[in-house]
Structure formats: structure tokens, C-alpha cells
Amino acid sequence: MEQRVSLITVGVDDPEAAAGFHEAMGWKRVDSPDGVIAFDLIGQTLGLYALSALAEEIGVDVGSLGRGALTLSHNCRSKDEVTHVLSKANEAGAEILKPASDVFWGGHHGYFRAPEGTIWEVAFNPFSALGPDGSFRWNGHG
């Protein structure tokens, strides 16, 4: 197995509402099969899928899926961009869980909960600069 994540599927109660939030953040849908709403990312795709359909596809009771303690992270090019993204998320209907602030290790970040429940970290990491195409590497592009 190669070391990569190709698709992040988020099971949501209302895929259209979840997609509307992402579109309010400036994301663009791509064509996808019925039942899946997809947004291509740099090197990956985010898929929004009805929670009940996801449970059926896996073959488990929907109640057994629970809500995993998972965060998605969006790294920015500057501290100011962190504040801008958090503000845009708030305007789009997200709940700000932690406002932008400096972190002990030298970065700057904040957290929001999207309307469907996904928790996002928005961060600036001065030690892991983004590539020209926005791609992220833990120790930066050098």
C-alpha cells in the first residue's frame, strides 16, 4: 500500500447542506455519481455521502458508525490567512471552536465545526511552507 490518502469520505445527515457550506467557502463541485458530492483537492478528493447510505454500503447499523474524533486541517500561507479562513467559515455557518491564536511550537491556528459536524483546523506552520501549488509536506518543501 502506497503512503497516501486518495479520498476522504465524510458521512453526513444532509449532503446538500454540507456541500452548500463548502461552496460558501469557495470550493467547486466536480461531476460524481449519484449520491456522492465530490470536491477535488490537491492530490485528493473530499466526498460527502449520506450517513445512512455509507452505513448500508459498509454493511453496519448507522448507529455503529458514531462520530469519530477526527479533524481535517487546512494549512495557510500566513497568519492573516488563518484569520480570513476562520471568518469565512463563520459567515458560511460554521461554529468557531477556537479563534486564531499562536501555538507553543511556533505556529498559528484555530478550529471550527462545519454545519454537518466536521471539525477543521486552520493553521499556519512556518516550518512546513506550502508548495507553489498549495501542497503540504510535514517538513515543508525545500
Side-chain angles (χ1 to χ4, degrees):
M1 180 173 165
E2 294 178 25
Q3 188 170 309
R4 74 168 174 274
V5 174
S6 303
L7 173 65
I8 301 162
T9 301
V10 178
V12 297
D13 290 326
D14 185 342
E16 281 298 329
F21 170 78
H22 289 83
E23 289 169 331
M25 294 296 293
W27 290 23
K28 306 287 184 227
R29 291 187 198 200
V30 295
D31 289 336
S32 62
D34 289 341
V36 178
I37 297 172
F39 297 89
D40 278 342
L41 312 173
I42 298 169
Q44 295 144 343
T45 297
L46 176 71
L48 302 173
Y49 197 42
L51 192 58
S52 58
L54 182 61
E56 182 179 332
E57 182 176 314
I58 296 169
V60 299
D61 180 76
V62 70
S64 71
L65 290 178
R67 301 283 186 198
L70 169 80
T71 62
L72 300 177
S73 296
H74 174 82
N75 279 54
C76 299
R77 291 178 172 81
S78 69
K79 286 183 175 185
D80 289 341
E81 187 180 351
V82 171
T83 301
H84 174 76
V85 171
L86 287 170
S87 176
K88 189 167 187 173
N90 187 50
E91 291 169 9
E95 172 191 3
I96 303 302
L97 300 174
K98 180 180 181 180
S101 60
D102 290 337
V103 186
F104 71 93
W105 49 264
H108 189 78
H109 73 172
Y111 287 88
F112 69 84
R113 184 188 332 261
E116 89 288 343
T118 303
I119 296 176
W120 285 80
E121 175 191 29
V122 181
F124 167 67
N125 183 337
F127 309 109
S128 294
L130 300 178
D133 64 353
S135 58
F136 175 81
R137 295 286 180 267
W138 187 253
N139 291 313
H141 292 265

